[in-house]
Amino acid sequence: MRVLVVGAGIGGLAVANGLIDQGHEVHVFEHADALRDGGAAVTVWSNGTAALRGLGISLEGVGRQLHGLRSLTDSGRLLWEADLGEVTERLGAPTVEVPRRTLIAKLAESLPADVLHFGRRCTGVTEFTDGVVVTFADGGHVIGDLVVGADGQRSQVRRSVLGGPPAKLTGWASWQGLTRSDLPVAQGSTTLNIAGRNAHCGLIPAGDGLLHWWFDTPWREGAAELSVADLREVFRGWPDPVEDLLASITDDDLGFFPHIRHQVPRVWGGPRSTLLGDAVHAMPPAVAQAANQTLEDAWLLSLLLPNVDGVAADPEPLLRTYEQERRPRAVKVSRTAALTSAQRSTPLQRIGRFPKWIATRSQVMSLRSGSNVLQGLTPQVKVA
C-alpha cells in the first residue's frame, strides 16, 4: 500500500518505521521545515520500550535507564517508592528517560531519505472508494491508499475525517525544561515526584548530566504564564533539591505546556483513514504515558496492516480492529491521567506510607493493564 502519514513527531516516525518494515510505501508529511526537536525529555516506560523494540528501534546507549521511582509530599514525607529494576524484570523491557530530540533522531535515522517531506501543511483529507487524497496549504496534493493522522492535538486529519470538538484544557499547566545539572539527582537513576495540594513537580535524570524537570500548577486560559521568580515563590520551602534547581534555571529554560484532554471517539477514521497518538487521545502528562500510548498505537497499527493482496482494496476492517483494540486501553490511561492531574496527592496524603513491594507490583499491573504490547495482544484479522 501507499500510506500517507501526516505529522513527523514521535507517532508519525514510529508508524513509518513499522509500516516500511511491513513492505509498504510510506510518505510522511510535516508542516515544519525540519524535524521538531523542541520539548524536554520523554519517559519511555516498559510498554513504550517494548513497542519500540517491536518496531525495530533500540534505545541502547541513549538517555538514562531508570531503576527507581520515589514520591514525596511537599513536606518531604515519603509516600511510596517503586523498584523499576524489578518492573523491568517482570515486564521484560526497561524504563528509559531520553531527551525528546534524541528519540526523534533515533526514529528518523533508519527511514529512507525519500520518506520525509517537510514544509507540507495538511489542509484536508478526502476519501474515495479506491483511495485517499491529502491536500496541502501550498496548493499541492498527494494520492494514496490510506492516510494516518499523526498530527497532534490540533489534528487537521481528525477535523477532516471526524469533525467534532478539539481537545479541552484541564485547568492545569506545566513549566518544564531539560538542563545540565550538578545536582545528585541528575547523576542517578531515580525519578523523584513531589506532590502538594495545589502544585506538583518532578525531576528525572536523562543521561549525560541532563535533568528533566517540571512544575505543575493550576492555570486557566488567558492567565499569565509563570516566570522562574513566580515558581520560586510557589515552591518555596519544598523538599530538596527543588529550591536549588529553581535557583539554577532562568526564564529562557522554561517551556510552557497547558494540559489538555481529548474525548476519545469510538471510531478514529473513515474507510481509508485512522489516527494515532495525540491526534486521537491527547491526555494530561500526570502519568507520563502520552508518548508511550502513541508508540503502542504505532506498533499495533503496523502489525495489523500486512502488505498482502486485499488490504489496499479494503483496509477498513483492519483499521477498525486496530481502533477497537487500542481504544479501551487508551481511554483507561487517559482517565487515570485526568484523575491524577485533578486530585494530585490529596488522597495519598490521608494515608500512611505503604511497602515498596506493593508500589512496585502496582506499577507492573498499571503498565500491563494499559498496554497491548505487554500483553501480547495482536489480534489477527482475515483479509479477503
Side-chain angles (χ1 to χ4, degrees):
M1 276 198 303
R2 179 177 167 87
V3 182
L4 313 177
V5 178
V6 179
I10 290 172
L13 297 173
V15 80
N17 275 278
L19 292 173
I20 287 171
D21 285 349
Q22 289 278 46
H24 298 291
E25 176 189 349
V26 180
H27 295 275
V28 181
F29 301 93
E30 167 59 40
H31 71 82
D33 293 328
L35 290 173
R36 291 171 290 126
D37 59 2
V42 179
T43 305
V44 189
W45 293 96
S46 295
N47 59 320
T49 54
L52 283 170
R53 183 172 59 206
L55 293 165
I57 305 295
S58 171
L59 295 184
E60 186 71 30
V62 301
R64 175 63 55 84
Q65 184 168 335
L66 301 177
H67 298 294
L69 174 59
R70 288 172 55 84
S71 179
L72 310 178
T73 69
D74 56 358
S75 66
R77 179 167 63 88
L78 178 66
L79 287 169
W80 53 269
E81 57 184 329
D83 182 346
L84 295 184
E86 184 176 338
V87 172
T88 295
E89 261 188 66
R90 287 176 174 268
L91 296 179
T95 297
V96 179
E97 188 73 9
V98 59
R100 187 180 184 280
R101 59 179 177 266
T102 303
L103 179 55
I104 289 288
K106 288 288 290 183
L107 291 167
E109 67 185 12
S110 58
L111 296 175
D114 61 347
V115 168
L116 294 172
H117 308 271
F118 296 106
R120 306 302 301 274
R121 183 181 293 276
C122 171
T123 56
V125 173
T126 306
E127 297 174 85
F128 300 95
T129 303
D130 58 351
V132 62
V133 176
V134 177
T135 55
F136 299 97
D138 60 10
H141 69 273
V142 292
I143 300 172
D145 296 307
L146 171 69
V147 64
V148 178
D151 47 341
Q153 58 172 291
R154 299 181 182 88
S155 172
Q156 180 60 52
V157 177
R158 177 172 176 146
R159 287 197 295 271
S160 293
V161 301
L162 294 182
K168 294 182 179 180
L169 294 167
T170 69
W172 283 73
S174 294
W175 284 262
Q176 67 165 332
L178 179 70
T179 54
R180 295 202 174 275
S181 176
D182 294 327
L183 293 171
V185 66
Q187 317 308 319
S189 59
T190 297
T191 292
L192 179 62
N193 291 330
I194 308 174
R197 291 182 178 275
N198 294 302
H200 180 263
C201 71
L203 304 91
I204 311 182
D208 296 325
L210 293 171
L211 183 65
H212 178 203
W213 44 264
W214 69 94
F215 298 90
D216 294 354
T217 70
W219 181 84
R220 298 294 179 186
E221 187 171 13
E225 297 179 21
L226 300 185
S227 66
V228 170
D230 294 326
L231 292 173
R232 289 170 184 161
E233 188 61 33
V234 171
F235 291 90
R236 186 182 303 278
W238 280 48
D240 292 338
V242 173
E243 290 186 298
D244 287 341
L245 170 63
L246 284 169
S248 73
I249 63 174
T250 70
D251 288 340
D252 291 338
D253 298 319
L254 288 181
F256 172 63
F257 298 91
H259 296 185
I260 57 170
R261 187 185 179 205
H262 263 137
Q263 185 69 34
V264 184
R266 294 194 175 277
V267 176
W268 297 1
R272 291 185 173 271
S273 64
T274 192
L275 306 169
L276 59 74
D278 282 354
V280 65
H281 48 62
M283 64 187 71
V287 294
Q289 267 290 318
N292 295 276
Q293 292 298 304
T294 297
L295 292 170
E296 292 243 13
D297 293 345
W299 170 80
L300 187 60
L301 181 58
S302 298
L303 281 183
L304 287 175
L305 286 175
N307 187 24
V308 297
D309 291 342
V311 172
D314 184 17
E316 186 169 18
L318 297 175
L319 299 179
R320 300 295 85 85
T321 298
Y322 150 71
E323 296 161 9
Q324 290 162 12
E325 291 298 322
R326 284 295 304 132
R327 185 180 184 275
R329 290 164 182 82
V331 168
K332 174 183 173 63
V333 173
S334 177
R335 286 174 177 165
T336 300
L339 183 62
T340 303
S341 178
Q343 292 185 342
R344 296 296 162 177
S345 69
T346 303
L348 289 175
Q349 288 172 340
R350 300 190 188 117
I351 64 175
R353 176 181 172 184
F354 53 95
K356 188 174 184 178
W357 70 268
I358 293 180
T360 301
R361 182 169 296 181
S362 175
Q363 194 70 29
V364 170
M365 294 172 62
S366 176
L367 288 170
R368 186 176 281 141
S369 68
S371 172
N372 287 80
V373 64
L374 293 178
Q375 298 188 44
L377 299 176
T378 55
Q380 300 298 313
V381 177
K382 185 176 181 180
V383 180

